[in-house]
Amino acid sequence: MTTVKEEEDIFEIVDYTTASDWERFIARIEEILSEWKLNGPETSNTEIDFADGEWIERNESLEFGDRSYTIIHFSLQIPETTSSSLPTENNPQMTTSSTFEKQTFIPPRAMADMMSRRNDFPSHSPFLSHWFGLREFLILSPKRNTDPIIDESRANLLLSSTAIAVSNVGCNVPIFIRVQHEWRKIFIGLCEGSGLRTHFNICYLKSAPHQYRHLAGLLEIFKSKLGSQISNDIVIMVAVRFTYVLREFESTSSRQVLPQDETGIPILTNLPFGSLYDPVSGLHLSCTWPIFSEEGVTENDDCNDFDPIRSQQWAIGVTLLEDLPVLLSDAVQKYLNLSTKRETVEQLLGKIQNVDETSNNSMNMADPIKRISDSRTQQYWTSISSSISNTTKRLRVNIFNPPLPPNIVEKTTDYLFNERPIFERRQSIVDELPNDTERIRQLKSVPKDSFVYRLVVCFTAICSLPSINHLRSIAHLWFDIVQELRTYWETGKLIPGLESGSPNLSFSKFYQNLQMLNCCIEHRLRHENDTINIDNNPMEQDNNDDDDQFYECSSNISPSKSNQTELQPDGRLKPYGDLKLLHTNEILYVPITQECPPATEDMLDEQTTVLTNLGFGEDATLLRAKMQSRSLLSDMESFKAANPLGTIEDFVRWYSPRDWIETEEIDNDGNIQKHYSLSPRMQLPDNLWVEVWQQARPIPVRRQKRLFDDGKEAEKILQKFSSLSPGEVLEQLIPVLLHTIYDRITNEIEDIPDVLGFLENLYAKEVLIIKGKDERKKKLQQDFVECLTSIEQYICRFQSFKQKLFPLDLNEQEKEEMIQRITELHTRPEIPVKGAANSRLGKRLISIFTKTKSSTTNQVDNGDSIEVKNQFMTPAGKEYILRASIARPSHSRSRPSPQRMYCMLAQDEFRLCGAFSEDTTFF
């Protein structure tokens, strides 16, 4: 019994001073509001334009029991220079009734924003700002979308908790609680300050009841929410906006298609540009009636006073296709990817069959013997094997399962080898086109419309073709081009689209190789012409029968026998001024010499490597000098043939005047005595010039060995081209690709001002690719493609805007305005239409958004009179804002407070957003 009594006396002590989860939740909200400095009254009711600002978000996480929440703060940051200094109470646009304007207290900024007409229907703002006209607000929502606030008790608990928190810290910023599922966008909220409290509620339905699809029904809802406090002198102000959406356009010319000929064959002679899809997927027109009283306009089932043509505020906006695919950027990306491949032509095309041509190849196969035995050809071909090799390679080639149809390859090859004037090397091009010249030099590119320029265009066009193997197709075309180049070499036809003369080292190495091939062809043609001249002179032909070497050059002077060469002058071009030989006093003649052998940058690099590998000793230096003295030996032999009695001093006077020193002295008699001598470097022991002079024989240029073996050099170039893989060809042509892209973009921008800055950025990225290191090139190329994509998309959208919205017959001022409007469409959700329906743009929009409607009237002259008129399409969305300033809850004792309701009617959405305020001073 004693134990039971002791147990009854024991009781549990509960410490009610420990904070509960609910209290910690409220404290956490107060802490966040204090950190964000929202714990003070907002007294600045400065009028601002939401379009001038930028929305800033910040968020924090907090816990309530076992659930996690996120509180987000949305605020509009406005530059100080764009904000107005007029407060709400002095600006009539901030209120809708004189009662609210003349109140003696300053309401919270959120309540002033609700009544401001300046930011009705903002085009770019969060949806709560759009619905309630707020510039700042808070949202409390579950952290996980899988935990929505569905039950009413939980929503009310959170709302009351936030109400306590904002009241404790004195926060006047509205706070909303997200309820229901996120996609429904339903909130409840409140705002307190200056003795006023505003309740925010949202109603969402998928379709509007029939009686509430017009203004009359919405006014009934608004008045019912206000209750019995509405007196006869209260005026409800209304703002309305109708939005018309067009998603199907009659004209589709803004869509680009891959070029094809009349038979449907793809054309590979132009760089692709544009998009296969219309970049503008939708166009909307918003007509606004900004302010009127409820008695001013009628809209019900029987009458509608909202005629969009009579609206004085129009705005247009576009819906752009996201991630617009563009042709040029896509082709360039594929081109760059293929340039890293190293599969050979044989690996890509498989077995290649060589088949003798049935008509002429039987004769061609017999040609080598004939050509070898021909004395004229003997002077040209360096060996029997060279002649046979170049003849047997002229065979027709069959490719099994070719990736490109033969007609496409044939047309493309004709485009590349189309006969056109040979480019002349002009010094004035630097003055005529300084920007182009500098660009070619920076990019190491080629002249515009040259053979290599066109070749890159064709390769890039192939990369834009759908449903083909791009690398195999490029290999196919490249194989045919190499065969055609060999044909041009063997038939002695100059390759079109190349600058004449020796290789220009300022152009790409690929272009230099083709120039070298043309130099070989020119040498061959010159030799054939000289051979014909010799054939026409029997004496020349007999003398050549005694020769046992191959020669390149000939002169118009008849050759002598070898034993007469030292006595008879030969190979003279012209007298060298008034100079005479030093020892015989005969005229000094300029000899006919061989041209300086042309060289490409690759050849010069190869020669430099060979000379560098010789070392740096005396023997290496001497050997290096002898290797570089071939041209000197040829010129000395030509000089000795033209001036048999000449000396090395005479040669130096002509060949290197700076090494011939003349001095004058006055003797004892006062006469001027002239003294001549070689320069000190020419008098050094073991002088190379003296050694070469001693070795040189008097041989005219036509009997000398060629310094430039065109057959050998041509075969080296053709073999090099044949051994290149398609990927290596593409890689070598990347500088030219960048040049063609720049030209293509330049042709497309026309009068688009903002693209000029983009174009400079694009060119800067091109230069970085050319000068960048190999390990960084992939990243630089990717940056370049992204930049190119943005520019191409911008141009496509600009052209689409221009075609859809603006007529062609615009004057200069209208064109400037048009460009400005199009530019704004890229950066703003919508732009105003000045003059609304009365402007040229407005008339164009009327023609787009109206549909033709026929109506039959009374019969006239035994027939039906048909009246045709244009009617605006049905609005895709209608928005209404209803405002009033009413004293609530007591009409006689409460201060007037702002009341607002926003309504949106769309095809699949009906939304009511109410913000109703009441005075809490005595209630």
Side-chain angles (χ1 to χ4, degrees), residues 471-487:
L471 191 59
R472 290 192 71 236
S473 301
I474 292 174
H476 185 183
L477 180 59
W478 174 242
F479 183 83
D480 277 39
I481 290 172
V482 173
Q483 299 303 312
E484 193 70 17
L485 290 174
R486 182 174 293 280
T487 301

PDB file of all heavy atoms in Angstrom, residues 471-487:
ATOM      1  N   LEU A 471      32.081  12.160 -95.050  1.00  0.00           N
ATOM      2  CA  LEU A 471      33.509  11.948 -95.276  1.00  0.00           C
ATOM      3  C   LEU A 471      33.737  11.162 -96.566  1.00  0.00           C
ATOM      4  O   LEU A 471      34.667  11.473 -97.328  1.00  0.00           O
ATOM      5  CB  LEU A 471      34.117  11.224 -94.076  1.00  0.00           C
ATOM      6  CG  LEU A 471      35.642  11.173 -94.039  1.00  0.00           C
ATOM      7  CD1 LEU A 471      36.230  12.580 -94.029  1.00  0.00           C
ATOM      8  CD2 LEU A 471      36.131  10.398 -92.827  1.00  0.00           C
ATOM      9  N   ARG A 472      32.926  10.145 -96.839  1.00  0.00           N
ATOM     10  CA  ARG A 472      33.068   9.392 -98.087  1.00  0.00           C
ATOM     11  C   ARG A 472      32.751  10.276 -99.285  1.00  0.00           C
ATOM     12  O   ARG A 472      33.407  10.168-100.337  1.00  0.00           O
ATOM     13  CB  ARG A 472      32.137   8.184 -98.091  1.00  0.00           C
ATOM     14  CG  ARG A 472      32.509   7.074 -97.134  1.00  0.00           C
ATOM     15  CD  ARG A 472      31.720   5.801 -97.413  1.00  0.00           C
ATOM     16  NE  ARG A 472      32.140   5.173 -98.648  1.00  0.00           N
ATOM     17  CZ  ARG A 472      31.330   4.881 -99.654  1.00  0.00           C
ATOM     18  NH1 ARG A 472      30.045   5.185 -99.579  1.00  0.00           N
ATOM     19  NH2 ARG A 472      31.781   4.295-100.741  1.00  0.00           N
ATOM     20  N   SER A 473      31.780  11.153 -99.152  1.00  0.00           N
ATOM     21  CA  SER A 473      31.431  12.042-100.265  1.00  0.00           C
ATOM     22  C   SER A 473      32.574  13.016-100.555  1.00  0.00           C
ATOM     23  O   SER A 473      32.896  13.278-101.725  1.00  0.00           O
ATOM     24  CB  SER A 473      30.147  12.813 -99.929  1.00  0.00           C
ATOM     25  OG  SER A 473      29.070  11.937 -99.686  1.00  0.00           O
ATOM     26  N   ILE A 474      33.196  13.546 -99.493  1.00  0.00           N
ATOM     27  CA  ILE A 474      34.334  14.441 -99.702  1.00  0.00           C
ATOM     28  C   ILE A 474      35.498  13.673-100.317  1.00  0.00           C
ATOM     29  O   ILE A 474      36.205  14.187-101.202  1.00  0.00           O
ATOM     30  CB  ILE A 474      34.726  15.091 -98.367  1.00  0.00           C
ATOM     31  CG1 ILE A 474      33.627  16.064 -97.914  1.00  0.00           C
ATOM     32  CG2 ILE A 474      36.060  15.816 -98.472  1.00  0.00           C
ATOM     33  CD1 ILE A 474      33.851  16.645 -96.542  1.00  0.00           C
ATOM     34  N   ALA A 475      35.710  12.434 -99.873  1.00  0.00           N
ATOM     35  CA  ALA A 475      36.772  11.620-100.462  1.00  0.00           C
ATOM     36  C   ALA A 475      36.516  11.373-101.941  1.00  0.00           C
ATOM     37  O   ALA A 475      37.444  11.410-102.761  1.00  0.00           O
ATOM     38  CB  ALA A 475      36.880  10.294 -99.696  1.00  0.00           C
ATOM     39  N   HIS A 476      35.272  11.131-102.284  1.00  0.00           N
ATOM     40  CA  HIS A 476      34.904  10.915-103.684  1.00  0.00           C
ATOM     41  C   HIS A 476      35.217  12.144-104.529  1.00  0.00           C
ATOM     42  O   HIS A 476      35.868  12.054-105.583  1.00  0.00           O
ATOM     43  CB  HIS A 476      33.417  10.567-103.763  1.00  0.00           C
ATOM     44  CG  HIS A 476      32.961  10.203-105.143  1.00  0.00           C
ATOM     45  ND1 HIS A 476      31.641   9.923-105.429  1.00  0.00           N
ATOM     46  CD2 HIS A 476      33.622  10.089-106.315  1.00  0.00           C
ATOM     47  CE1 HIS A 476      31.534   9.645-106.703  1.00  0.00           C
ATOM     48  NE2 HIS A 476      32.720   9.743-107.267  1.00  0.00           N
ATOM     49  N   LEU A 477      34.771  13.304-104.059  1.00  0.00           N
ATOM     50  CA  LEU A 477      35.010  14.531-104.814  1.00  0.00           C
ATOM     51  C   LEU A 477      36.500  14.852-104.873  1.00  0.00           C
ATOM     52  O   LEU A 477      37.021  15.255-105.939  1.00  0.00           O
ATOM     53  CB  LEU A 477      34.255  15.689-104.168  1.00  0.00           C
ATOM     54  CG  LEU A 477      34.405  17.056-104.843  1.00  0.00           C
ATOM     55  CD1 LEU A 477      33.923  17.010-106.283  1.00  0.00           C
ATOM     56  CD2 LEU A 477      33.647  18.131-104.060  1.00  0.00           C
ATOM     57  N   TRP A 478      37.215  14.669-103.780  1.00  0.00           N
ATOM     58  CA  TRP A 478      38.647  14.972-103.767  1.00  0.00           C
ATOM     59  C   TRP A 478      39.400  14.043-104.726  1.00  0.00           C
ATOM     60  O   TRP A 478      40.329  14.478-105.428  1.00  0.00           O
ATOM     61  CB  TRP A 478      39.187  14.849-102.355  1.00  0.00           C
ATOM     62  CG  TRP A 478      40.673  14.996-102.258  1.00  0.00           C
ATOM     63  CD1 TRP A 478      41.573  14.071-101.817  1.00  0.00           C
ATOM     64  CD2 TRP A 478      41.450  16.151-102.609  1.00  0.00           C
ATOM     65  NE1 TRP A 478      42.845  14.557-101.873  1.00  0.00           N
ATOM     66  CE2 TRP A 478      42.800  15.851-102.360  1.00  0.00           C
ATOM     67  CE3 TRP A 478      41.116  17.399-103.116  1.00  0.00           C
ATOM     68  CZ2 TRP A 478      43.823  16.745-102.604  1.00  0.00           C
ATOM     69  CZ3 TRP A 478      42.137  18.303-103.354  1.00  0.00           C
ATOM     70  CH2 TRP A 478      43.470  17.983-103.102  1.00  0.00           C
ATOM     71  N   PHE A 479      39.018  12.775-104.774  1.00  0.00           N
ATOM     72  CA  PHE A 479      39.673  11.837-105.684  1.00  0.00           C
ATOM     73  C   PHE A 479      39.495  12.289-107.134  1.00  0.00           C
ATOM     74  O   PHE A 479      40.451  12.274-107.921  1.00  0.00           O
ATOM     75  CB  PHE A 479      39.091  10.433-105.485  1.00  0.00           C
ATOM     76  CG  PHE A 479      39.742   9.384-106.329  1.00  0.00           C
ATOM     77  CD1 PHE A 479      40.924   8.777-105.917  1.00  0.00           C
ATOM     78  CD2 PHE A 479      39.194   9.001-107.543  1.00  0.00           C
ATOM     79  CE1 PHE A 479      41.535   7.809-106.698  1.00  0.00           C
ATOM     80  CE2 PHE A 479      39.801   8.037-108.324  1.00  0.00           C
ATOM     81  CZ  PHE A 479      40.978   7.435-107.907  1.00  0.00           C
ATOM     82  N   ASP A 480      38.297  12.713-107.495  1.00  0.00           N
ATOM     83  CA  ASP A 480      38.053  13.178-108.868  1.00  0.00           C
ATOM     84  C   ASP A 480      38.816  14.465-109.166  1.00  0.00           C
ATOM     85  O   ASP A 480      39.282  14.673-110.288  1.00  0.00           O
ATOM     86  CB  ASP A 480      36.557  13.403-109.081  1.00  0.00           C
ATOM     87  CG  ASP A 480      35.833  12.115-109.413  1.00  0.00           C
ATOM     88  OD1 ASP A 480      36.184  11.086-108.808  1.00  0.00           O
ATOM     89  OD2 ASP A 480      34.933  12.148-110.267  1.00  0.00           O
ATOM     90  N   ILE A 481      38.947  15.340-108.151  1.00  0.00           N
ATOM     91  CA  ILE A 481      39.679  16.595-108.354  1.00  0.00           C
ATOM     92  C   ILE A 481      41.148  16.310-108.619  1.00  0.00           C
ATOM     93  O   ILE A 481      41.767  16.919-109.512  1.00  0.00           O
ATOM     94  CB  ILE A 481      39.499  17.514-107.135  1.00  0.00           C
ATOM     95  CG1 ILE A 481      38.064  18.036-107.082  1.00  0.00           C
ATOM     96  CG2 ILE A 481      40.473  18.681-107.185  1.00  0.00           C
ATOM     97  CD1 ILE A 481      37.745  18.792-105.816  1.00  0.00           C
ATOM     98  N   VAL A 482      41.739  15.377-107.867  1.00  0.00           N
ATOM     99  CA  VAL A 482      43.145  15.038-108.086  1.00  0.00           C
ATOM    100  C   VAL A 482      43.343  14.466-109.481  1.00  0.00           C
ATOM    101  O   VAL A 482      44.317  14.795-110.179  1.00  0.00           O
ATOM    102  CB  VAL A 482      43.631  14.056-107.003  1.00  0.00           C
ATOM    103  CG1 VAL A 482      45.035  13.555-107.307  1.00  0.00           C
ATOM    104  CG2 VAL A 482      43.595  14.719-105.634  1.00  0.00           C
ATOM    105  N   GLN A 483      42.412  13.610-109.921  1.00  0.00           N
ATOM    106  CA  GLN A 483      42.507  13.072-111.275  1.00  0.00           C
ATOM    107  C   GLN A 483      42.408  14.183-112.323  1.00  0.00           C
ATOM    108  O   GLN A 483      43.119  14.180-113.329  1.00  0.00           O
ATOM    109  CB  GLN A 483      41.399  12.039-111.498  1.00  0.00           C
ATOM    110  CG  GLN A 483      41.463  10.838-110.577  1.00  0.00           C
ATOM    111  CD  GLN A 483      42.793  10.104-110.679  1.00  0.00           C
ATOM    112  OE1 GLN A 483      43.271   9.814-111.771  1.00  0.00           O
ATOM    113  NE2 GLN A 483      43.398   9.809-109.535  1.00  0.00           N
ATOM    114  N   GLU A 484      41.542  15.156-112.062  1.00  0.00           N
ATOM    115  CA  GLU A 484      41.391  16.263-113.002  1.00  0.00           C
ATOM    116  C   GLU A 484      42.647  17.141-113.014  1.00  0.00           C
ATOM    117  O   GLU A 484      43.061  17.631-114.080  1.00  0.00           O
ATOM    118  CB  GLU A 484      40.170  17.093-112.622  1.00  0.00           C
ATOM    119  CG  GLU A 484      39.725  18.091-113.683  1.00  0.00           C
ATOM    120  CD  GLU A 484      39.136  17.425-114.903  1.00  0.00           C
ATOM    121  OE1 GLU A 484      38.770  16.234-114.835  1.00  0.00           O
ATOM    122  OE2 GLU A 484      39.045  18.102-115.947  1.00  0.00           O
ATOM    123  N   LEU A 485      43.257  17.341-111.854  1.00  0.00           N
ATOM    124  CA  LEU A 485      44.503  18.112-111.799  1.00  0.00           C
ATOM    125  C   LEU A 485      45.600  17.422-112.600  1.00  0.00           C
ATOM    126  O   LEU A 485      46.381  18.074-113.313  1.00  0.00           O
ATOM    127  CB  LEU A 485      44.947  18.299-110.348  1.00  0.00           C
ATOM    128  CG  LEU A 485      44.104  19.216-109.471  1.00  0.00           C
ATOM    129  CD1 LEU A 485      44.591  19.184-108.027  1.00  0.00           C
ATOM    130  CD2 LEU A 485      44.133  20.652-109.986  1.00  0.00           C
ATOM    131  N   ARG A 486      45.659  16.095-112.502  1.00  0.00           N
ATOM    132  CA  ARG A 486      46.659  15.361-113.283  1.00  0.00           C
ATOM    133  C   ARG A 486      46.393  15.507-114.778  1.00  0.00           C
ATOM    134  O   ARG A 486      47.329  15.662-115.582  1.00  0.00           O
ATOM    135  CB  ARG A 486      46.655  13.887-112.868  1.00  0.00           C
ATOM    136  CG  ARG A 486      47.684  13.053-113.592  1.00  0.00           C
ATOM    137  CD  ARG A 486      47.722  11.644-113.034  1.00  0.00           C
ATOM    138  NE  ARG A 486      48.229  11.621-111.676  1.00  0.00           N
ATOM    139  CZ  ARG A 486      49.526  11.672-111.365  1.00  0.00           C
ATOM    140  NH1 ARG A 486      50.438  11.781-112.313  1.00  0.00           N
ATOM    141  NH2 ARG A 486      49.902  11.626-110.106  1.00  0.00           N
ATOM    142  N   THR A 487      45.128  15.489-115.143  1.00  0.00           N
ATOM    143  CA  THR A 487      44.783  15.676-116.556  1.00  0.00           C
ATOM    144  C   THR A 487      45.200  17.059-117.039  1.00  0.00           C
ATOM    145  O   THR A 487      45.728  17.217-118.148  1.00  0.00           O
ATOM    146  CB  THR A 487      43.278  15.473-116.757  1.00  0.00           C
ATOM    147  OG1 THR A 487      42.924  14.152-116.328  1.00  0.00           O
ATOM    148  CG2 THR A 487      42.885  15.654-118.214  1.00  0.00           C
TER     149      THR A 487
END
